[in-house]
Amino acid sequence: MEQTDLLKHTDKINEQLARYGVKFGIYKDNVFKEQLFPFDSIPRVIGHEEFDLLEKGLKQRVMALNMFLKDIYSRKQIVKDKVIPEDFIFASSGYMAECEGVMPVKGIYSHVSGIDLVKGKDGIWYILEDNLRVPSGASYPMIARELCRRSSPETFRDNRLEDNRNYAGLLRWTMDYVNTGGHTVILTPGRYNAAYFEHSYLAEKTGAHLVTGSDLKAENDKLYYISADGSMEQVGAVYRRISDEYLDPMNFNPESLIGIPHIYDVFRKGNVALINAPGNGIADDKGIYYFVPKMIKYYLGEEAVLNNAPTYLPFYREDMDYVLNNLDSLVIKDVAEAGGYGVIFGNSMDKGQKEDFTRLLKKEPRRFIAQEVIDFQDLDIMDNGKIVPRKADLRAFVLMADEPVVWKSGLTRFSRNPDSFIVNSSQGGGFKDTWVLYQ
């Protein structure tokens, strides 16, 4: 692939991204800090046939996860049939009892799914994580591609790659499909949210209203948008970028100042669509991740097209023994953490830390999973004028309306630390465009 001309414009593109406010914010310890999300102009390139395989596997996975969510908040047949132990449902921090018996509009739970993958040096793609709550990141490759096209139109004329500018159309179609009648809005916690740029950018591109909780009001089992002149207009779909617990202080966390009182009551009655549906956190649980291939077999009668990373559950005695005997070669993950937090490489612990962790693991086996460390492929990046290899993953986006659609692009994140496998933006990583080639 010819990219020489594009590489010359890397600094210019990053300057434009900064001007547009393409930053990643982190609010921690009562301090809000914004940092640039550095872009590398050497794209990840995925061939047509290779992406066909990813597309097939991602559609299959998201369909099974939606079926799991529908089942787990109703009949719980997968538990009754002993495919998943009961402990892994009700002990999960992502399970929400308030969602029992509540069916979202058209039965869709995860309208926008972000599935994280890595490609091993063996050439095999592995699923690392499912994100079905409020997955972010699509806006970054969208705007980066737009700026790259402006900077080097020849690059995109001479290479045969899929156009990723259709994401806004796909998202709008997804939102409209479940709209119960009225406006479509994107609900943001506000300026100090880590992904505020994305909220505003997607609102602009989809034509949806960008709102905060104070702009919406639930009344008479309907949800309304309060316009500038004080009039109220009905809302039929809310692409909410607020965590479940803060969405409605009357139904979830009563201390929430950013939610909308009684919005969940309107949702429960089927009078507004919430994108994604509350309660999806149970499917994001890293302990539940272990069972997704079993879900695919159970609900769809198919073998999983894409592999999980080799994973062990200390909840099972056999797996506990394996983890304790092979700690140095494993990575340990806290099932309730995200964003690269709660990840411990066994070989990074000293003797005392291993002893402390062993005691904790035996005390709270449900809290952790262990995985083999996948030697995933390095991708080239530009670092101070030199091309160097760095670890990188891929967040693929799957949108669900009448059927699942995989966006022919994605967010490739890379570690800027040559010794790190953790690529998350919250951990200081950068991003690059993902080129999907067509025939």
Side-chain angles (χ1 to χ4, degrees):
M1 302 296 295
E2 184 54 54
Q3 305 146 17
T4 306
D5 184 65
L6 182 59
L7 302 188
K8 299 174 186 175
H9 300 280
T10 299
D11 291 342
K12 177 184 175 184
I13 293 167
N14 272 292
E15 288 171 8
Q16 290 177 315
L17 289 169
R19 195 174 306 135
Y20 276 102
V22 184
K23 299 178 181 179
F24 191 88
I26 299 173
Y27 190 78
K28 194 172 184 181
D29 299 327
N30 295 319
V31 176
F32 179 75
K33 181 182 178 183
E34 270 191 327
Q35 60 193 43
L36 292 173
F37 195 12
F39 172 71
D40 182 76
S41 58
I42 304 175
R44 159 172 254 152
V45 180
I46 302 176
H48 175 79
E49 291 185 3
E50 185 175 20
F51 192 81
D52 277 353
L53 177 69
L54 289 177
E55 188 174 38
K56 182 179 179 182
L58 290 165
K59 286 181 178 181
Q60 179 195 58
R61 192 173 184 96
V62 168
M63 286 178 66
L65 284 165
N66 267 283
M67 294 172 78
F68 164 73
L69 287 163
K70 185 176 181 180
D71 182 19
I72 219 63
Y73 286 117
S74 56
R75 297 179 61 205
K76 300 178 180 57
Q77 198 61 46
I78 199 168
V79 175
K80 294 174 184 175
D81 290 338
K82 302 188 184 304
V83 178
I84 300 178
E86 191 174 59
D87 304 55
F88 274 82
I89 304 302
F90 301 116
S92 172
S93 61
Y95 166 75
M96 300 183 72
E98 299 90 342
C99 299
E100 283 290 338
V102 179
M103 180 67 68
V105 177
K106 297 189 177 179
I108 301 173
Y109 283 81
S110 187
H111 311 78
V112 182
S113 304
I115 311 296
D116 294 345
L117 309 94
V118 294
K119 187 176 182 181
K121 289 184 176 176
D122 55 6
I124 297 173
W125 285 91
Y126 295 92
I127 304 275
L128 281 190
E129 195 171 283
D130 303 297
N131 298 279
L132 276 66
R133 280 175 288 187
V134 192
S136 64
S139 64
Y140 302 113
M142 287 172 70
I143 191 169
R145 179 79 65 88
E146 184 178 330
L147 295 177
C148 287
R149 281 182 173 275
R150 289 185 204 168
S151 299
S152 180
E154 299 84 1
T155 299
F156 296 89
R157 182 193 64 207
D158 299 338
N159 290 296
R160 298 169 57 83
L161 64 147
E162 297 282 356
D163 191 341
N164 78 345
R165 290 176 291 186
N166 66 337
Y167 185 83
L170 292 174
L171 179 57
R172 183 73 207 205
W173 161 246
T174 301
M175 297 188 294
D176 288 348
Y177 182 75
V178 291
N179 190 305
T180 59
H183 289 292
T184 295
V185 301
I186 294 179
L187 174 62
T188 177
R191 168 72 181 77
Y192 294 107
N193 183 261
Y196 181 74
F197 162 76
E198 173 154 292
H199 307 164
S200 57
Y201 186 75
L202 292 178
E204 175 191 341
K205 292 297 182 181
T206 61
H209 293 290
L210 182 67
V211 301
T212 61
S214 61
D215 297 316
L216 300 178
K217 183 178 182 179
E219 188 174 278
N220 298 324
D221 294 330
K222 299 287 179 65
L223 185 68
Y224 295 95
Y225 166 66
I226 306 170
S227 62
D229 63 4
S231 61
M232 297 201 306
E233 301 173 30
Q234 190 171 341
V235 173
V238 179
Y239 182 18
R240 50 102 182 190
R241 303 301 296 258
I242 291 179
S243 299
D244 290 359
E245 60 269 31
Y246 298 110
L247 184 61
D248 183 343
M250 306 306 292
N251 282 279
F252 304 124
N253 186 341
E255 297 182 1
S256 173
L257 300 177
I258 57 175
I260 303 97
H262 299 294
I263 188 175
Y264 190 67
D265 298 318
V266 180
F267 170 75
R268 185 186 285 119
K269 290 183 177 295
N271 293 337
V272 72
L274 294 178
I275 303 165
N276 287 332
N280 282 9
I282 181 66
D284 282 9
D285 187 301
K286 292 180 177 65
I288 295 296
Y289 158 95
Y290 173 90
F291 296 98
V292 177
K294 296 177 186 289
M295 287 180 205
I296 292 170
K297 183 70 172 177
Y298 181 78
Y299 292 118
L300 302 176
E302 302 168 357
E303 297 298 329
V305 172
L306 297 172
N307 298 303
N308 275 11
T311 303
Y312 307 93
L313 291 185
F315 175 84
Y316 294 121
R317 170 49 54 188
E318 182 180 355
D319 283 15
M320 172 71 83
D321 292 342
Y322 181 86
V323 171
L324 295 178
N325 290 329
N326 296 274
L327 200 53
D328 281 343
S329 65
L330 300 172
V331 56
I332 312 299
K333 297 181 179 180
D334 189 319
V335 300
E337 294 283 358
Y341 295 100
V343 177
I344 308 168
F345 287 85
N347 60 10
S348 70
M349 293 189 282
D350 60 29
K351 183 179 179 182
Q353 289 170 325
K354 287 178 183 176
E355 290 173 353
D356 290 343
F357 177 74
T358 296
R359 283 192 290 271
L360 179 61
L361 185 64
K362 289 180 177 178
K363 181 182 177 183
E364 300 181 55
R366 171 62 178 85
R367 180 178 166 183
F368 300 95
I369 64 169
Q371 293 179 326
E372 301 287 353
V373 179
I374 296 174
D375 190 10
F376 54 98
Q377 287 184 354
D378 297 297
L379 295 181
D380 286 340
I381 71 164
M382 292 291 295
D383 185 24
N384 294 320
K386 296 181 180 179
I387 294 179
V388 295
R390 293 290 185 268
K391 297 299 180 188
D393 76 350
L394 171 66
R395 173 163 290 182
F397 292 90
V398 186
L399 295 98
M400 175 74 83
D402 55 337
E403 61 180 6
V405 175
V406 181
W407 184 36
K408 293 186 177 179
S409 185
L411 175 65
T412 292
R413 300 172 296 184
F414 62 87
S415 171
R416 289 190 288 166
N417 181 343
D419 301 316
S420 177
F421 282 69
I422 299 177
V423 302
N424 302 72
S425 49
S426 55
Q427 302 288 305
F431 80 102
K432 54 173 66 212
D433 198 0
T434 304
W435 288 10
V436 177
L437 305 184
Y438 60 80
Q439 287 180 320

